[in-house]
Amino acid sequence: MKLQPVYIIEELEQLKTISDPLRAKVLLYLIEKAYTGQQIAKTLGMARAKVHYHLNELEKHGLISVVRTELKNGILQKFYRAIARGFVPSEKLLPYVSEVENYYRERTLSVLGRARRRAINAPEEAFQIPSSDRTQWPIIMTQVEVKMSKEKYAEWLRKFRALIFELDASQEENGEWFYLTTVGFQTNEPSFDPVVEEEER
């Protein structure tokens, strides 16, 4: 099964379905690969019945599907997979501010949680640096706060997304695997104290 790049959410019930924190987390796993309900339950440390309920809700609203089945110890196991790599509310759903906000907040938290687990499980060499020259490093750890208009920020994001698409399209058959995740959003106030340059004497 090939995932769609982006699925446009047209129905409010679909948006409500994936605005649930647990379903957002489950969906993130199913974007990566196919899992059974039992595998998801074990990964999340939750009861199978609860996970199966949420899988049924996601499947009922057309957000995931069964991609294969396997018979194991006389029990038919279903492997679920998300239907797309990304989910975006349609223009007609944007007035439902609360549901849209909940979806993106939960999606952001799920991505950050998944990135943390990926970092914990990464090989030792992932965090070894070849020199003190940061331009040669195969890792990036960056936090930055910027103050600018929403329009200027959106324009920069367009350029950044274009770079991500370029990176995704430049994959090499014999290369190494690298993981990159990015989040960015508006905040109420800065967390970093401003750097004040000392006056020249």
Side-chain angles (χ1 to χ4, degrees), residues 131-150:
S131 73
S132 59
D133 179 3
R134 288 179 25 154
T135 63
Q136 303 299 314
W137 291 7
I139 56 175
I140 180 170
M141 298 165 287
T142 302
Q143 291 186 82
V144 63
E145 293 176 334
V146 295
K147 189 173 185 180
M148 61 181 57
S149 69
K150 290 182 179 179

Side-chain angles (χ1 to χ4, degrees), residues 29 35-46 114 117:
Y29 276 95
Y35 285 92
T36 65
Q38 183 176 355
Q39 289 171 331
I40 290 282
K42 184 177 179 182
T43 300
L44 298 178
M46 298 182 62
R114 192 74 182 115
R117 287 187 292 277

Side-chain angles (χ1 to χ4, degrees), residues 91-106:
E91 291 284 333
K92 72 178 183 180
L93 293 179
L94 295 184
Y96 297 95
V97 176
S98 177
E99 284 80 6
V100 172
E101 176 194 331
N102 288 343
Y103 167 63
Y104 281 110
R105 188 183 302 274
E106 291 305 327

Side-chain angles (χ1 to χ4, degrees), residues 25-152:
K25 190 178 290 187
V26 169
L27 193 60
L28 192 65
Y29 276 95
L30 297 180
I31 286 171
E32 292 183 4
K33 62 182 182 178
Y35 285 92
T36 65
Q38 183 176 355
Q39 289 171 331
I40 290 282
K42 184 177 179 182
T43 300
L44 298 178
M46 298 182 62
R48 276 188 289 177
K50 186 172 185 179
V51 169
H52 278 289
Y53 168 76
H54 289 295
L55 286 171
N56 288 337
E57 287 297 302
L58 289 166
E59 185 181 23
K60 180 173 80 177
H61 289 95
L63 303 164
I64 66 172
S65 64
V66 176
V67 291
R68 73 177 191 275
T69 57
E70 290 179 8
L71 197 60
K72 187 175 181 182
N73 300 326
I75 299 172
L76 187 66
Q77 295 188 320
K78 296 178 180 178
F79 285 79
Y80 297 89
R81 188 83 197 265
I83 62 164
R85 293 175 67 180
F87 296 82
V88 177
S90 68
E91 291 284 333
K92 72 178 183 180
L93 293 179
L94 295 184
Y96 297 95
V97 176
S98 177
E99 284 80 6
V100 172
E101 176 194 331
N102 288 343
Y103 167 63
Y104 281 110
R105 188 183 302 274
E106 291 305 327
R107 177 79 194 268
T108 300
L109 291 170
S110 293
V111 166
L112 289 170
R114 192 74 182 115
R116 181 179 184 274
R117 287 187 292 277
R118 294 291 294 268
I120 290 170
N121 295 319
E124 288 182 12
E125 65 181 290
F127 302 104
Q128 295 170 357
I129 57 172
S131 73
S132 59
D133 179 3
R134 288 179 25 154
T135 63
Q136 303 299 314
W137 291 7
I139 56 175
I140 180 170
M141 298 165 287
T142 302
Q143 291 186 82
V144 63
E145 293 176 334
V146 295
K147 189 173 185 180
M148 61 181 57
S149 69
K150 290 182 179 179
E151 294 76 17
K152 187 173 180 182

